[in-house]
């Protein structure tokens, strides 16, 4: 879809009427990055301007493939409507979304705020999500054109994006034909980062990542172990346990498409504690996470371990590993700053005391 044919003044994005979007898209696609991830896709929300931008970016992938693939992937991830699509479609059809949108783009800032009191506004956003959702199967073709790109970063981005697109039920039947190609490419990838990225995509598409549990590089083995097809595999569990002893090492994979800019160690910890909810086996890994505790709330590093260790609060008859974690937690001065709200939110959310002395006393039981 050419941006020139879109009536942008009838659409809006996160910051109001989309009258600026056409001009921005008239320039180089690479220069539109800030606009794409602020106005067009804002903190995971899509807007009426998002579907035509999504189509326009797909048409221009050759200009800036890494950026364009990432945008398509992030939009697709934000509109995983799945089985709710038809119900949402019926709700949208029963509402006058066109009238609400026209009123919104014509309103001043204060009036726009007031318009959100009308539930039709939520349905306008739902309609935008549906329009993006309906586009996704059509984007598989443009994206697959980059699966064998000579640039490894582009290749990895294309595979991660197609894996996201193929979660759409109207596109899922294309996955089996891609699996042998992806498995071969992963096995022959020259760099650890690309191999790990492709292994994660192989698992997501339903392929067999088990052979990569024997990869010579621990990051690739960890990537394989994180995949859903190996969720019940004891060898994969052992690989995750080994990786979590030095969780920051896994952050070397930050920046590959699968992690979308997040910290891989947090995915590792969440996955490990979900699959191996046996605290004696997790004790050493929990201690390794303590240096990063309570920087966010709820804490994604120590929080999952605390949930497994103390599912019903502090027990009256603790195991040695529970006492050991409590002692180490209480011993770290930096975790007990009285103004650390992240600690308070995390501990109280788990039904645990936000009281250093209580942890010390528990560790001596």
């Amino acid at each position: 879809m050419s941006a020139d044919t879109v009536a942008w003044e009838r659409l809006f994005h996160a910051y109001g009427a989309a009258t600026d979007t056409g001009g921005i898209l008239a320039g180089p696609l690479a220069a539109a990055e800030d606009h794409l991830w602020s106005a067009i896709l804002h903190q995971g929300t899509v807007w009426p301007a998002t579907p035509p931008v999504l189509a326009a970016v797909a048409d221009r992938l050759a200009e800036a493939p890494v950026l364009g693939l990432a945008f398509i992937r992030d939009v697709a991830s934000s509109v995983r409507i799945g089985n709710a699509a038809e119900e949402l479609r019926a709700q949208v059809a029963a509402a006058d979304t066109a009238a609400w949108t026209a009123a919104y783009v014509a309103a001043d800032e204060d009036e726009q705020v007031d318009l959100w009191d009308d539930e039709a506004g939520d349905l306008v956003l739902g309609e935008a999500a549906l329009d993006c959702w309906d586009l996704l199967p059509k984007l598989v073709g443009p994206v697959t054109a980059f699966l064998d790109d000579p640039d490894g970063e582009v290749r990895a981005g294309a595979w991660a994006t197609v894996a996201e697109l193929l979660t759409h039920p109207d596109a899922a039947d294309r996955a089996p034909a891609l699996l042998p190609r992806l498995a071969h490419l992963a096995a022959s990838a020259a760099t650890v980062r690309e191999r790990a990225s492709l292994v994660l995509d192989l698992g997501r598409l339903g392929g067999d990542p088990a052979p990569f549990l024997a990869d010579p590089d621990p990051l690739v083995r960890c990537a394989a172990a994180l995949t859903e097809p190996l969720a019940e595999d004891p060898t994969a569990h052992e690989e995750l346990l080994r990786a979590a002893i030095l969780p920051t090492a896994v952050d070397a994979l930050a920046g590959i498409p699968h992690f979308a800019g997040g910290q891989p160690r947090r995915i590792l910890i969440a996955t490990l504690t979900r699959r191996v909810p046996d605290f004696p086996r997790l004790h050493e890994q929990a201690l390794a996470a303590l240096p990063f505790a309570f920087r966010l709330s709820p804490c994604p590093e120590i929080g999952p371990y605390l949930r497994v260790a103390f599912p019903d609060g502090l027990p009256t008859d603790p195991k040695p590993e529970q006492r050991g974690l409590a002692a180490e937690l209480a011993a770290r001065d930096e975790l007990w700053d009285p103004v650390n709200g992240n600690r308070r939110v995390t501990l109280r959310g788990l039904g645990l005391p936000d009281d250093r002395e209580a942890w010390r006393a528990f560790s001596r039981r």
Side-chain angles (χ1 to χ4, degrees), residues 308-335:
V308 175
F310 308 107
D312 302 307
L314 298 182
T316 56
D317 185 21
K319 295 178 180 179
E321 294 85 0
Q322 292 172 317
R323 289 198 301 269
L325 177 58
E328 290 294 327
L329 182 65
R332 289 183 168 270
D333 291 338
E334 75 277 11
L335 301 183

Side-chain angles (χ1 to χ4, degrees), residues 8-154:
W8 297 109
E9 71 280 1
R10 298 181 185 176
L11 303 174
F12 67 91
H13 50 51
Y15 301 121
T19 50
D20 54 345
T21 299
I24 291 170
L25 290 181
L29 186 58
E33 181 174 3
D34 288 345
H35 189 69
L36 293 178
W37 272 277
S38 59
I40 303 302
L41 180 64
H42 184 77
Q43 297 178 358
T45 298
V46 299
W47 310 83
T50 308
V53 171
L54 179 63
V57 168
D59 284 345
R60 298 173 61 183
L61 274 178
E63 276 186 49
V66 173
L67 180 149
L69 290 165
F71 180 72
I72 292 171
R73 187 167 61 249
D74 285 354
V75 172
S77 177
S78 298
V79 295
R80 293 175 181 166
I81 299 174
N83 295 331
E86 294 315 309
E87 181 181 352
L88 179 57
R89 209 180 301 279
Q91 292 173 343
V92 167
D96 194 349
T97 55
W100 191 96
T101 300
Y104 187 84
V105 298
D108 62 29
E109 189 172 338
D110 290 337
E111 291 169 334
Q112 287 177 341
V113 171
D114 292 340
L115 277 167
W116 286 110
D117 291 335
D118 185 342
E119 64 179 16
D122 291 335
L123 290 175
V124 167
L125 298 187
E127 183 175 36
L130 277 171
D131 289 344
C132 290
W133 174 253
D134 291 341
L135 268 173
L136 298 185
K138 301 172 186 176
L139 305 185
V140 175
V143 169
T144 54
F146 293 87
L147 295 180
D148 296 312
D149 194 273
D151 185 314
E153 187 178 6
V154 175

Side-chain angles (χ1 to χ4, degrees), residues 298-299 302-308 310-313 344-353:
C299 179
I302 196 61
Y305 290 115
L306 290 171
R307 183 177 295 108
V308 175
F310 308 107
D312 302 307
R344 186 163 46 251
V345 170
T346 299
L347 293 177
R348 291 181 180 176
L350 293 169
L352 297 170

Side-chain angles (χ1 to χ4, degrees), residues 339-358:
V339 299
N340 189 333
N342 295 326
R343 182 196 65 243
R344 186 163 46 251
V345 170
T346 299
L347 293 177
R348 291 181 180 176
L350 293 169
L352 297 170
D354 181 32
D355 181 332
R356 191 177 190 180
E357 290 306 317

Side-chain angles (χ1 to χ4, degrees), residues 148 178-189 198 202 212:
D148 296 312
L178 292 174
L179 286 174
R181 185 175 169 188
L182 176 53
H184 173 76
L185 188 61
S188 60
L198 296 175
L202 180 67
F212 294 92

